[in-house]
Amino acid sequence: MGSTWRKAKLALGLNLCVYVPKAIDDASPSDDPSGRSSNVAVVSPPSGTSDFRALMPTTPTPTSSGLRLSKSGSRSFKKTCAICLASMKPGHGHALFTAECSHTFHFHCITANVKHGNHVCPVCRAKWKEIPFRGPPSSENPHGRARVNPINWPQDDGYVSMLRHLPRVDSSNRNHRLTPLFHSSEPIVFNDDESLDSSSETPKDTQHGSMRTVEIKTYPEFSAIQQSVSEENFTILIHLKAPCAPMVQTCDGNPHGNTNLSKTSRAAIDLVTVLDVSGSMAGTKIALLKRAMGFVIQNLGPSDRLSVIAFSSTARRLFPLCRMSESGRQQALQAVNSLTSGGGTNIAEGLRKGAKLIEDRKEKNPVCSVILLSDGQDTYSVTLTSGGAHPPQPDYRSLVPSSIRGGMGHQIPVHVFGFGADHDSESMHSISETSGGTFSFIESEGAIQDAFARCIGGLLSVVVQEMHVGVKCVHPDVHLGPIKSGSYANQIADDGQSGSIDVGDLYADEERDFLVSVNVPPACEETLLLRVSCGYRDPVSKETVNVEGLEVKISRPLIVVEQMMSVEVDRQRNRLWAAEAMAEARAAAECGDLSEAVAILEACRRILSESLAGRLGDKLCLALDVELREMQERMASRQRYEASGRAYVLSGLSSHSWQRATTRGDSRDCSLSQAYQTPTMVDMLQRSQTMSPASRRPNPQMRHAKSFPARPQPR
């Protein structure tokens, strides 16, 4: 009988399983190749269910026995039945039932509860699609053992038929390990993406009044220069603000007369998530990753397409680009819930598979992006570059496939999330910079979902694509000097009379600031310095939009008695000074001189406090001071810098160079990200925090996985 039951557990383990008291001749837990007891498993809902809550990954809590945590974490599970409050310790002669919401009860308690018409979880009140019921004992079901029945199936049938395909058994493995779900063979060409939603075409009734164009403003450093004076490095600020998301008028058939309602019309996205499932992700990390991915899936629309790639020593595509319709979300949630951890960390292979998927797709949504999350260091693909007299350095650019690296207008941004203290922040930052994405540092466990929420809040609101800003000198004796545009590429013509900045994509209401230097010759009358214009593509209407040039001029009085510098120019100059100080401090820290790094940051803080914006209490200036002080604290010791300082600095540099919000550290001070947050990011972040109130408590620092090697010695 014992061997028969073992075969039954093997056949049903990944789809339908309950706890059954172990017989005397049954196998011990050590018979399981994984070394874990397989007595309890989560019952999965049938593929036709429409209740996503039953499929949503849950937050690790003391009662979430459906999540695989470490051995130390499993000791904190509650061992009492929430109905009768008696012990649920295995081996005490009572069968256990684990529902799809991951809460466990005595089987006889929950069947009595269901018998009275209660089809919701007594703990979390989740509505079940599958319920336990007790049938008459028979030779096939000895001792009246636990069975499960979907609510809409007749309960007087003989026995439940399995609708889902059973996992394949690898007969070549003498331990007969089950091949995990979604491990099907992959095609050679990834052109099996789901067709685009025809309803995602631009609505004919789009309100043209709300389709505002990009707003351009310019601020000269001073509004006037004396006639006889010339300036060699006169600074002009170019400020851009993207339009809000366009609105369409819809009719909902409201009988009270208010039939016209406005809703947002946005560009659909192809999103590829490349997720680390190596051995160091075991336990709480992968459980939180599943919950965060569940949030992403729930907030994508039916016109958006998603594909998930999981990587460890190798990479696999869990499913092709699929529209997030009702059925698509179910498939995505089931795939994410199937993730298990193990193996090494091959980031390059994961990105290669993601790039191939993007390159091979037969149809394309207007917006495309990659999200990469890893908690480790690539131990497979990093090459070394010859440094001449210097030691060879890692070539992290080699991790990014050329097809998404940029050039020829094909750049696909990779937004990178370094998870925990053991990830290689240098390689993560390099991947994001090379691809045009951002780098976020997730230091604490509870921040991963909020970090994803902030990111997709922006990705789901792209209103400008392929934007180019043109700058042309108007006065014949005016020539362009350096253009300070951060990570955005800029060009200046050989004659110095014109230049441009490649801005790329902008989210709704997003802002950009660039400082341009020019020379100002002596003149007896008002001087026209520059004409600024821009052009871009609207991803919704697919039309090209050109914004007419805006002239920058200054007055030329005979004598300038007194005038104040532009606060707007000073504010952005402070931002650039702070970013330069962060880069210099990081370089000093990498050379082992932490005291010099701290001194550089302190000098910058002093400059900011003495600046015009600093004296006026400018909010950005105050936020920069808080950030610089935090960096000083994280450079207090070599150990602190290696554990979190490097990643914190790189995340800050990423945010300032792209002028885009990132997650930094444990995000205790919200002002660090608010400088670049857009309304859609704020809205998505609030959704995340509303859905997961438990994660709002102070987050503990990420616990290191004991099985993963510590970070190498200081470089």
Side-chain angles (χ1 to χ4, degrees):
M1 179 272 182
S3 60
T4 303
W5 175 240
R6 286 197 299 275
K7 291 179 181 178
K9 286 195 292 183
L10 182 64
L12 301 177
L14 290 182
N15 292 275
L16 184 63
C17 202
V18 294
Y19 173 77
V20 176
K22 186 172 69 174
I24 296 176
D25 60 344
D26 204 358
S28 65
S30 61
D31 292 334
D32 189 327
S34 66
R36 294 185 297 267
S37 173
S38 60
N39 289 336
V40 181
V42 176
V43 177
S44 300
S47 59
T49 180
S50 61
D51 190 348
F52 301 136
R53 290 176 301 177
L55 294 171
M56 282 287 288
T58 56
T59 308
T61 64
T63 57
S64 300
S65 55
L67 299 175
R68 293 183 178 179
L69 301 179
S70 62
K71 291 182 179 180
S72 61
S74 65
R75 296 191 189 104
S76 64
F77 284 1
K78 292 183 178 179
K79 298 296 184 180
T80 57
C81 174
I83 298 175
C84 69
L85 302 181
S87 172
M88 291 195 301
K89 187 176 181 180
H92 281 202
H94 295 293
L96 304 181
F97 170 76
T98 301
E100 59 250 40
C101 59
S102 299
H103 293 122
T104 305
F105 313 92
H106 285 131
F107 181 70
H108 65 271
C109 292
I110 200 63
T111 52
N113 195 52
V114 168
K115 186 176 181 180
H116 292 284
N118 296 323
H119 295 166
V120 296
C121 175
V123 176
C124 66
R125 312 306 296 171
K127 187 176 180 180
W128 290 341
K129 289 298 179 181
E130 292 181 341
I131 59 173
F133 72 102
R134 186 185 297 277
S138 69
S139 58
E140 296 177 338
N141 187 33
H143 311 302
R145 285 175 176 168
R147 294 192 287 136
V148 176
N149 193 47
I151 291 175
N152 58 348
W153 288 3
Q155 297 200 19
D156 56 355
D157 281 353
Y159 288 97
V160 177
S161 300
M162 294 302 297
L163 291 185
R164 296 170 62 191
H165 292 294
L166 293 176
R168 301 184 304 276
V169 177
D170 185 0
S171 59
S172 64
N173 190 332
R174 64 181 181 179
N175 291 325
H176 299 290
R177 292 180 185 233
L178 291 175
T179 303
L181 211 58
F182 301 99
H183 268 227
S184 57
S185 59
E186 296 176 341
I188 298 177
V189 179
F190 291 150
N191 60 354
D192 54 349
D193 51 298
E194 186 175 2
S195 298
L196 300 181
D197 184 6
S198 58
S199 64
S200 63
E201 296 297 325
T202 306
K204 296 181 180 179
D205 53 351
T206 301
Q207 279 189 305
H208 294 285
S210 64
M211 291 282 288
R212 298 188 296 111
T213 58
V214 169
E215 179 183 3
I216 303 178
K217 290 183 179 180
T218 58
Y219 300 89
E221 184 177 0
F222 294 99
S223 60
I225 295 181
Q226 190 170 316
Q227 291 181 2
S228 59
V229 173
S230 64
E231 293 281 350
E232 289 301 319
N233 290 293
F234 187 78
T235 302
I236 300 169
L237 167 64
I238 300 175
H239 174 81
L240 309 172
K241 184 173 182 179
C244 60
M247 309 295 289
V248 296
Q249 294 292 333
T250 61
C251 179
D252 67 344
N254 189 329
H256 300 289
N258 297 327
T259 57
N260 289 330
L261 297 176
S262 294
K263 76 171 186 177
T264 301
S265 172
R266 62 170 178 81
I269 184 174
D270 284 342
L271 180 62
V272 179
T273 56
V274 181
L275 308 177
D276 187 347
V277 292
S278 59
S280 56
M281 285 290 294
T284 307
K285 285 183 180 180
I286 198 166
L288 287 165
L289 173 60
K290 291 179 182 181
R291 188 195 71 178
M293 280 301 301
F295 176 84
V296 172
I297 292 166
Q298 291 289 57
N299 283 279
L300 294 177
S303 298
D304 302 314
R305 299 192 300 178
L306 174 71
S307 182
V308 176
I309 292 173
F311 70 91
S312 52
S313 301
T314 58
R316 69 183 188 276
R317 185 191 69 167
L318 271 63
F319 58 93
L321 273 174
C322 180
R323 287 195 292 111
M324 289 297 98
S325 58
E326 184 174 320
S327 60
R329 287 178 181 170
Q330 290 177 32
Q331 178 184 358
L333 288 167
Q334 289 176 348
V336 168
N337 274 323
S338 76
L339 292 174
T340 56
S341 58
T345 306
N346 195 337
I347 297 173
E349 182 62 25
L351 286 176
R352 274 195 293 268
K353 188 146 292 187
K356 177 175 173 56
L357 188 150
I358 292 172
E359 190 176 3
D360 291 353
R361 57 191 167 144
K362 64 179 186 293
E363 296 186 64
K364 298 179 180 179
N365 263 325
V367 180
C368 181
S369 189
V370 176
I371 286 179
L372 167 66
L373 179 136
S374 177
D375 76 329
Q377 305 172 41
D378 191 296
T379 54
Y380 292 84
S381 308
V382 177
T383 59
L384 297 178
T385 57
S386 176
H390 303 284
Q393 298 295 318
D395 180 18
Y396 294 123
R397 284 177 56 89
S398 63
L399 295 173
V400 184
S402 58
S403 61
I404 62 174
R405 188 179 298 173
M408 303 301 291
H410 298 301
Q411 188 175 49
I412 304 295
V414 180
H415 297 285
V416 182
F417 296 85
F419 196 26
D422 287 324
H423 75 277
D424 187 347
S425 56
E426 284 191 278
S427 68
M428 299 284 96
H429 178 258
S430 180
I431 290 169
S432 66
E433 283 291 302
T434 302
S435 64
T438 55
F439 168 62
S440 292
F441 169 37
I442 306 175
E443 183 175 22
S444 55
E445 294 180 352
I448 180 172
Q449 181 171 303
D450 287 353
F452 277 14
R454 181 180 284 114
C455 180
I456 66 170
L459 294 176
L460 298 181
S461 66
V462 174
V463 293
V464 170
Q465 288 186 309
E466 302 172 11
M467 183 176 183
H468 296 273
V469 176
V471 181
K472 186 175 180 61
C473 297
V474 179
H475 193 285
D477 293 331
V478 174
H479 296 82
L480 291 175
I483 299 176
K484 296 185 178 181
S485 55
S487 292
Y488 297 98
N490 68 76
Q491 302 85 30
I492 299 177
D494 293 338
D495 60 1
Q497 288 288 301
S498 62
S500 63
I501 306 170
D502 298 327
V503 182
D505 295 0
L506 288 181
Y507 304 152
D509 294 293
E510 200 167 34
E511 301 179 34
R512 293 289 180 270
D513 292 285
F514 306 113
L515 293 180
V516 179
S517 296
V518 298
N519 70 298
V520 180
C524 298
E525 55 186 13
E526 184 180 63
T527 305
L528 290 176
L529 300 177
L530 298 176
R531 181 177 290 109
V532 182
S533 60
C534 73
Y536 59 91
R537 184 166 59 86
D538 187 312
V540 177
S541 66
K542 299 180 176 59
E543 297 177 351
T544 299
V545 181
N546 292 305
V547 181
E548 293 185 4
L550 185 69
E551 292 183 343
V552 183
K553 61 183 71 175
I554 57 173
S555 62
R556 307 303 298 270
L558 186 62
I559 298 176
V560 177
V561 179
E562 184 179 359
Q563 66 175 334
M564 181 180 293
M565 179 192 298
S566 167
V567 176
E568 289 80 6
V569 172
D570 193 56
R571 177 188 299 120
Q572 298 306 320
R573 187 174 281 162
N574 285 343
R575 176 179 60 83
L576 292 172
W577 277 339
E580 291 172 1
M582 293 174 195
E584 292 177 9
R586 176 187 167 237
E590 295 298 333
C591 293
D593 196 345
L594 289 175
S595 60
E596 175 64 17
V598 172
I600 291 172
L601 297 176
E602 183 63 29
C604 183
R605 290 180 61 196
R606 185 170 56 254
I607 292 174
L608 296 185
S609 66
E610 296 172 354
S611 68
L612 173 64
R615 294 196 307 271
L616 294 176
D618 179 71
K619 290 183 179 179
L620 175 59
C621 195
L622 294 176
L624 290 171
D625 183 75
V626 171
E627 186 177 9
L628 293 170
R629 186 171 67 249
E630 178 72 17
M631 290 180 182
Q632 287 178 305
E633 293 178 3
R634 292 175 185 260
M635 292 180 174
S637 67
R638 173 56 53 177
Q639 182 180 9
R640 182 86 190 274
Y641 178 73
E642 293 287 336
S644 66
R646 178 186 289 114
Y648 189 91
V649 172
L650 290 174
S651 180
L653 285 173
S654 177
S655 182
H656 294 306
S657 65
W658 294 112
Q659 299 181 54
R660 185 160 275 172
T662 63
T663 297
R664 312 190 208 167
D666 57 11
S667 295
R668 288 174 297 180
D669 195 307
C670 298
S671 62
L672 301 182
S673 58
Q674 285 179 349
Y676 305 117
Q677 260 187 181
T678 66
T680 53
M681 290 180 179
V682 174
D683 177 68
M684 196 64 71
L685 190 59
Q686 289 175 344
R687 291 191 205 179
S688 171
Q689 295 173 351
T690 301
M691 290 180 63
S692 304
S695 65
R696 303 280 68 79
R697 60 179 177 268
N699 292 318
Q701 193 171 14
M702 183 73 69
R703 294 188 296 272
H704 297 191
K706 295 181 180 179
S707 60
F708 197 78
R711 172 176 275 282
Q713 293 301 312
R715 285 168 280 191

